[in-house]
Amino acid sequence: MKLFYITFRSVTFAQRGERVLTGAGIRCTMQRTPRWMEELGCGYALRVWAADVAPAVERLRAERVQLRRVYGSRDDGQLEELTV
């Protein structure tokens, strides 16, 4: 199953996003964003399964949690930015 990464500009937004998603029953894991993903080199991401990415983004936007980008894993294991 594919993984998706929803990135945030700070740990505060990522923690808020984690609380929102967990409260909505969407499983996620918070982690430090790899440096190559973000131009600024700082940020955090929530890792979610493919089936949960659309509801997760919807829920975050409904709760006004500012997310930056969404990345999905390709079949070759690399990540690519997605438009959601």
Side-chain angles (χ1 to χ4, degrees):
M1 190 177 271
K2 289 187 176 184
L3 289 173
F4 287 78
Y5 299 85
I6 303 169
T7 63
F8 301 85
R9 70 181 178 123
S10 72
V11 68
T12 304
F13 285 115
Q15 288 171 332
R16 182 167 177 229
E18 183 179 38
R19 283 193 302 274
V20 165
L21 296 184
T22 301
I26 298 171
R27 291 184 307 167
C28 63
T29 304
M30 189 172 76
Q31 66 181 53
R32 186 90 166 106
T33 302
R35 190 172 295 273
W36 62 265
M37 268 190 200
E38 298 291 338
E39 308 90 334
L40 300 177
C42 65
Y44 288 80
L46 294 179
R47 187 176 64 200
V48 297
W49 293 107
D52 295 328
V53 72
V57 170
E58 256 181 51
R59 187 65 177 203
L60 291 169
R61 288 185 175 150
E63 295 291 328
R64 298 178 189 243
V65 179
Q66 295 178 3
L67 58 99
R68 294 188 82 184
R69 295 185 174 98
V70 177
Y71 292 91
S73 58
R74 300 187 314 211
D75 291 334
D76 64 3
Q78 299 294 319
L79 296 174
E80 66 181 326
E81 185 177 349
L82 305 172
T83 304
V84 181

